Amino acid sequence: MLRQALLALSASKQARDLIMATPLTRDVVARFVAGETTDDALRVTDRLISDARLVTIDFLGEDTTDPEQAAGVTEEYVRLLGRLSDAGLSARGRAEVSVKPTAVGLGLAEHGEKTALENIARIATAARNAGTTVTLDMEDHSRIEPTLKLVRELRDDFPDLGCVIQSYLRRSADDCRALTASGSRVRLCKGAYQAPDSVAWASRAEVDRSYARCMRILLEGHGYPMLATHDPRLIRIAATKAGVVGRDADSFEYQMLYGIRPAEQARLAAAGAQVRVYLPYGSDWYGYLVRRLAERPANLMFFLRALSSRH
Ligand SMILES: Cc1cc2nc3c(=O)[nH]c(=O)nc-3n(C[C@H](O)[C@H](O)[C@H](O)COP(=O)(O)OP(=O)(O)OC[C@H]3O[C@@H](n4cnc5c(N)ncnc54)[C@H](O)[C@@H]3O)c2cc1C
């Protein structure tokens, strides 16, 4: 119930305006977000890479309704990639970028798909020049077909373009089977949006079973699985399955969100696994933060405690 309410809140314009205008403590946002500026993103990326993590950086923002805003987001990614390259952080894909298709135009009323395709191609070109890659985040279920279409089209020119499959969707095992070709970079996550029972598994147990099924398909395939979860049980299953199918440590990676289970991230990295941290930055943190609160009541308590300690 609480999760549904928070997910509804994450999509509400009124709640967004109200909460973003509230003087939230810096601590709450800073726990999950690198900061508001490109400098903040570079500083935290540098620290994470020095700590043996890989990084994927997300410039916060989604559901862009204006072509100029979509072009602005694209510019920011291109600038970021140039700076990562200058700082020596993007070589060999150590720091890459994650892009939400609706942030670069997919949801525009006119020519959305074409605009997103052109903008992502610009970002992917900048990533290639910086020696790294792009992963397209997956958003709510209405965006799946257009996003997978973008991936298919763009992979002709950018075969290392990553995509995301969400295990809460009933279709996901089939999508995974279609994405197991050599070099195919696929992030598997549970899914952070609201979706009707007609398209999504209703219970956590079913979502977890679907995750394990999708993970098996990806690990048995020829692509590059990126296993994005904080779930200790699924991480254990991943390690076992990777061993059974004879995967080398550099042929797949674990991914976790910045600020969540840092000790587990360190443990996996120390054990020789590749661990990539998803690092958001920017001032448009509202939707991202509320989705994190929806995932875990303890995060909500942290948020409320920080608010009350300020007032
Ligand atoms: C790198 C990355 C990229 C993502 N990209 C996308 C995307 O493109 N599209 C999308 O829809 N979603 C994305 N997500 C979000 C994802 O879909 C889930 O909503 C989110 O990861 C929570 O799911 P979980 O697998 O951690 O499992 P949950 O069911 O939320 O948690 C499982 C268990 O993990 C542990 N755990 C979780 N959180 C914490 C915590 N804060 N502290 C301690 N233990 C904790 C607990 O033991 C918990 O029981 C991404 C997630 C990651 C990690």
Side-chain angles (χ1 to χ4, degrees):
M1 276 300 282
L2 181 62
R3 180 168 185 273
Q4 302 297 326
L6 282 165
L7 285 176
L9 204 67
S10 76
S12 154
K13 166 106 175 57
Q14 287 94 330
R16 175 195 197 91
D17 292 348
L18 188 71
I19 292 181
M20 287 195 79
T22 307
L24 280 176
T25 67
R26 289 178 67 81
D27 288 355
V28 175
V29 180
R31 173 168 170 191
F32 299 108
V33 174
E36 298 214 342
T37 66
T38 319
D39 283 343
D40 292 328
L42 284 160
R43 183 177 38 78
V44 180
T45 299
D46 191 25
R47 177 166 58 74
L48 290 167
I49 285 178
S50 307
D51 246 358
R53 308 293 188 282
L54 305 169
V55 181
T56 184
I57 308 177
D58 165 38
F59 178 54
L60 288 164
E62 50 202 272
D63 290 332
T64 299
T65 51
D66 167 13
E68 278 180 23
Q69 198 185 344
V73 171
T74 305
E75 274 313 312
E76 174 60 25
Y77 272 109
V78 169
R79 217 173 15 246
L80 169 69
L81 284 158
R83 292 203 46 198
L84 285 170
S85 177
D86 292 345
L89 295 170
S90 54
R92 300 184 310 284
R94 287 188 303 170
E96 64 137 32
V97 294
S98 283
V99 178
K100 286 195 170 36
T102 67
V104 291
L106 186 62
L108 293 180
E110 283 179 31
H111 312 302
E113 289 190 18
K114 182 168 176 289
T115 306
L117 187 105
E118 289 170 0
N119 285 338
I120 295 163
R122 277 203 63 207
I123 298 169
T125 303
R128 177 182 288 165
N129 293 339
T132 192
T133 48
V134 178
T135 299
L136 288 190
D137 284 346
M138 191 61 87
E139 302 173 81
D140 77 84
H141 70 280
S142 68
R143 307 291 184 197
I144 291 164
E145 274 308 330
T147 300
L148 290 178
K149 185 166 168 236
L150 284 172
V151 171
R152 283 192 297 272
E153 289 177 14
L154 284 158
R155 276 190 173 178
D156 287 343
D157 290 330
F158 305 99
D160 56 10
L161 179 72
C163 66
V164 176
I165 298 297
Q166 300 152 313
S167 75
Y168 71 163
L169 296 175
R170 294 173 188 272
R171 56 178 285 166
S172 289
D174 288 339
D175 286 334
C176 285
R177 279 186 204 98
L179 286 163
T180 52
S182 172
S184 172
R185 296 174 60 253
V186 180
R187 175 192 302 156
L188 179 63
C189 65
K190 290 189 187 178
Y193 297 81
Q194 240 172 345
D197 289 357
S198 54
V199 296
W201 300 109
S203 75
R204 275 184 177 262
E206 282 168 320
V207 174
D208 290 358
R209 271 199 296 277
S210 167
Y211 194 105
R213 197 160 48 238
C214 290
M215 181 161 71
R216 209 165 41 241
I217 294 166
L218 295 175
L219 285 169
E220 285 173 354
H222 304 286
Y224 182 82
M226 303 184 281
L227 305 173
T229 182
H230 313 98
D231 193 325
R233 207 174 116 251
L234 289 172
I235 292 170
R236 273 198 305 276
I237 295 173
T240 306
K241 184 68 193 173
V244 169
V245 300
R247 282 229 170 221
D248 294 333
D250 63 359
S251 71
F252 71 104
E253 66 188 41
Y254 297 98
Q255 296 192 342
M256 294 190 208
L257 301 177
Y258 179 64
I260 301 190
R261 302 204 72 204
E264 175 66 358
Q265 296 174 19
R267 185 193 70 80
L268 286 166
Q274 299 190 106
V275 182
R276 192 176 296 274
V277 177
Y278 185 102
L279 180 68
Y281 78 101
S283 53
D284 197 1
W285 42 258
Y286 173 78
Y288 181 84
L289 184 72
V290 179
R291 284 197 294 276
R292 300 295 76 81
L293 299 180
E295 275 153 19
R296 193 170 156 83
N299 288 344
L300 186 60
M301 290 316 291
F302 174 81
F303 174 76
L304 294 173
R305 258 202 317 275
L307 273 183
S308 61
S309 68
R310 180 50 75 92
H311 294 290

